[in-house]
Amino acid sequence: MNEPAETTEDLNAEQPDAWEQLEQIVATGDSDAAHNYLKELPPGEDARVMAQLSDAEQQEFLALLNDEDAAQLMESLPELQAGQMLSALTPEKAALIVDEMHSDEQVDLLDQLTDEQSEAIIEQMAPEEAENVRFLAQYDSQSAGGLMITELLSFVESQTVDDVVTELRQNAEEYTTYNVQYIYVINADLQLVGVLRLRDLLMAPPGRKLSKMMIANPTSVLDSTSLQDLQHFFDSHHLFGLPVIDADQKLVGVVRREDVEQAGEEQAGRTFLRFAGIMGGEELRSLPLKIRSARRLSWLSINIVLNIVAASIIAMYEETLEAVIALAVFLPIVSDMSGCSGNQSIAVSTRELVLGVIRPRDWFHVFRKELGLGLVNGVALGILLGGVAYMWKGNPYLGLVIGGALALNTLMAVCLGALIPLVLKGFKLDPALASGPILTTLTDMCGFFLVLSFAQALLPKLI
């Protein structure tokens, strides 16, 4: 009779948790075990296990790794987490690790440090690496120049197939980390003139010149091309990478599809945090308490002021509210439902701005589209909530007040939610950061005002 097969859960139950293994390795100071541990760690698990260690244990673990392993670990971690770990190292040790990283990762990681810390590390790097980092650091991180890598293979058009193959063989160890798909062909002025697939190169006669077999005038992008435009390009073209040129048509790097996709995901994550009121972009719980608290309080303190402004509307109608206590039940419902409708419009407008579907000057088109939707949804929600109010108290005028206020407030919220991101974008402000607070304040103020002003007008019918 066959024994039942062990499940994955059974096997995992017999083994210590990954971070417990890591603690044991740190305690014993075993460098070989540290190397094997990283090699066998499941994808995506490194960030979690490193976060379980104290700052001191993280540094002890890094000390057990060779520079190449440490660089691979840093590249696999979130930039903020890797930056924290790097900042605790001496500039000399940090420089050895950064030297082993890909060019785009080097700049992204050093961006997480203060100017003084990053400059101290750059000064300790190999001269060629340091020069390359300073070159890449001049670009916006959300542009082709900021996302590109400089590890590429480029050869002059007058060279032959034999010249290229000889070069590849002589420097095979260095080129193994390049993830080579194409050979880029340049002229004497370093301008991009062609591209050559590696497989075509290997099957060509040794003496043939690159100019005779290259694909001339290949598709390329300027180093100033935005992340948004790069996303649009890779969405419609099935390419692994794209050569990047400067204003003089000189080849300066290659931007890869995977890097563009990763940058897009990170941008979406930062946008989500800003929507949630986390200032300063990315936040991890490994950050110091002071920094985390300041980032959250910077939004919450503003929100207190906004809520006080909205609450002042209630104070203006205190007598009406005292006369009809039932209104207090529906005030938060009216403001919240309208806010939800408005936030849907904010999300759509923000997304369309990112995709380039709309521009701030398209405000009338956006307003016209949302006006009909706001009217339909407002009336539908008003009838629902007004019906609830009527059935609860048996007073049709209460239903009219609540339903009418919700319908109008929803119409206003939907239209404003669609337009606020466009207005903020037009003033070079971040729609993700400011749209929510502005809309919340307006929907609260208008919702309270509509309910209480309608109630005051119909007060004899409500008492």
Side-chain angles (χ1 to χ4, degrees):
M1 183 174 182
N2 294 332
E3 294 291 332
E6 288 185 298
T7 65
T8 302
E9 289 78 7
D10 295 331
L11 292 173
N12 290 339
E14 297 172 2
Q15 298 176 352
D17 194 57
W19 73 270
E20 292 177 347
Q21 296 179 44
L22 186 55
E23 282 188 324
Q24 295 174 6
I25 292 172
V26 170
T28 58
D30 190 338
S31 297
D32 291 336
H35 171 79
N36 293 330
Y37 175 84
L38 281 183
K39 186 177 180 181
E40 298 171 2
L41 197 64
E45 191 73 358
D46 37 22
R48 186 185 74 88
V49 296
M50 293 304 295
Q52 303 296 325
L53 298 180
S54 67
D55 292 345
E57 288 173 328
Q58 289 179 358
Q59 301 310 310
E60 291 174 14
F61 180 70
L62 283 177
L64 297 176
L65 302 175
N66 59 45
D67 297 333
E68 184 177 351
D69 284 344
Q72 290 179 357
L73 174 62
M74 291 287 189
E75 289 183 335
S76 66
L77 297 176
E79 291 171 5
L80 185 59
Q81 185 180 17
Q84 286 179 261
M85 295 174 60
L86 193 71
S87 65
L89 300 175
T90 64
E92 293 78 12
K93 176 61 177 175
L96 293 173
I97 295 174
V98 175
D99 271 337
E100 297 293 331
M101 300 174 68
H102 290 98
S103 54
D104 58 332
E105 297 286 354
Q106 290 176 333
V107 177
D108 291 341
L109 183 55
L110 291 175
D111 277 345
Q112 302 299 317
L113 310 180
T114 66
D115 292 341
E116 294 76 13
Q117 289 173 325
S118 60
E119 185 58 34
I121 293 173
I122 292 174
E123 288 179 355
Q124 298 297 324
M125 294 174 63
E128 184 177 347
E129 293 285 343
E131 181 181 358
N132 191 54
V133 167
R134 288 195 169 95
F135 167 70
L136 291 176
Q138 68 181 310
Y139 291 109
D140 183 335
S141 62
Q142 301 298 297
S143 68
L147 295 171
M148 70 183 181
I149 59 172
T150 55
E151 293 86 0
L152 55 85
L153 295 178
S154 62
F155 294 89
V156 180
E157 57 186 335
S158 60
Q159 290 183 282
T160 65
V161 170
D162 193 45
D163 293 333
V164 176
V165 173
T166 300
E167 168 70 16
L168 294 179
R169 287 173 178 170
Q170 290 178 348
N171 298 278
E173 185 176 350
E174 177 186 353
Y175 295 146
T176 53
T177 62
Y178 276 29
N179 190 24
V180 177
Q181 298 286 341
Y182 303 99
I183 303 294
Y184 296 99
V185 184
I186 57 178
N187 60 21
D189 295 324
L190 306 182
Q191 295 173 322
L192 178 68
V193 294
V195 66
L196 186 62
R197 291 178 298 185
L198 189 60
R199 64 183 182 187
D200 293 337
L201 176 78
L202 297 177
M203 293 185 289
R208 179 172 294 179
K209 288 187 177 182
L210 301 185
S211 58
K212 300 297 184 182
M213 53 186 301
M214 68 182 187
I215 301 172
N217 303 314
T219 302
S220 61
V221 291
L222 284 171
D223 50 10
S224 58
T225 304
S226 68
L227 171 60
Q228 176 182 318
D229 290 339
L230 289 172
Q231 289 175 311
H232 292 163
F233 178 87
F234 282 111
D235 283 343
S236 56
H237 296 79
H238 299 290
L239 297 174
F240 292 107
L242 197 60
V244 180
I245 58 176
D246 63 14
D248 297 323
Q249 306 299 310
K250 293 181 179 180
L251 178 65
V252 292
V254 174
V255 61
R256 299 175 297 182
R257 172 188 292 272
E258 62 185 88
D259 293 329
V260 171
E261 292 174 348
Q262 181 181 350
E265 292 171 0
E266 291 173 354
Q267 185 185 61
R270 288 190 293 270
T271 299
F272 173 77
L273 287 174
R274 289 195 293 270
F275 266 125
I278 305 295
M279 305 298 189
E282 189 173 5
E283 177 183 321
L284 297 176
R285 290 189 171 88
S286 55
L287 282 172
L289 175 62
K290 181 180 179 180
I291 295 177
R292 295 174 59 216
S293 175
R295 287 185 173 185
R296 298 193 188 190
L297 283 175
S298 58
W299 153 245
L300 295 174
S301 57
I302 296 173
N303 204 31
I304 287 179
V305 177
L306 297 177
N307 277 280
I308 291 174
V309 172
S312 65
I313 302 295
I314 297 177
M316 294 169 55
Y317 292 90
E318 185 176 357
E319 294 180 1
T320 302
L321 192 57
E322 288 178 352
V324 188
I325 299 300
L327 295 174
V329 175
F330 292 101
L331 282 176
I333 298 177
V334 170
S335 62
D336 182 67
M337 288 302 301
S338 301
C340 290
S341 298
N343 280 322
Q344 290 176 332
S345 295
I346 285 178
V348 174
S349 288
T350 303
R351 179 59 177 164
E352 289 188 336
L353 284 170
V354 170
L355 293 175
V357 177
I358 59 174
R359 294 286 186 270
R361 62 177 177 269
D362 300 324
W363 66 270
F364 184 74
H365 166 75
V366 172
F367 173 77
R368 184 168 53 84
K369 288 289 187 179
E370 291 297 312
L371 183 63
L373 185 146
L375 184 61
V376 172
N377 285 4
V379 170
L381 294 173
I383 291 174
L384 287 174
L385 190 60
V388 170
Y390 168 65
M391 288 187 291
W392 180 38
K393 291 296 183 179
N395 188 331
Y397 293 99
L398 178 64
L400 180 62
V401 166
I402 299 302
L406 178 57
L408 289 176
N409 205 36
T410 298
L411 175 61
M412 182 275 300
V414 168
C415 293
L416 286 180
L419 295 178
I420 288 173
L422 275 67
V423 174
L424 293 173
K425 187 70 173 180
F427 283 100
K428 309 298 183 183
L429 299 174
D430 186 354
L433 183 59
S435 297
I438 292 174
L439 180 70
T440 298
T441 302
L442 292 175
T443 53
D444 285 353
M445 291 174 61
C446 291
F448 296 160
F449 173 77
L450 289 170
V451 171
L452 294 173
S453 61
F454 287 179
Q456 187 175 44
L458 297 174
L459 190 57
K461 304 290 186 180
L462 298 174
I463 298 176

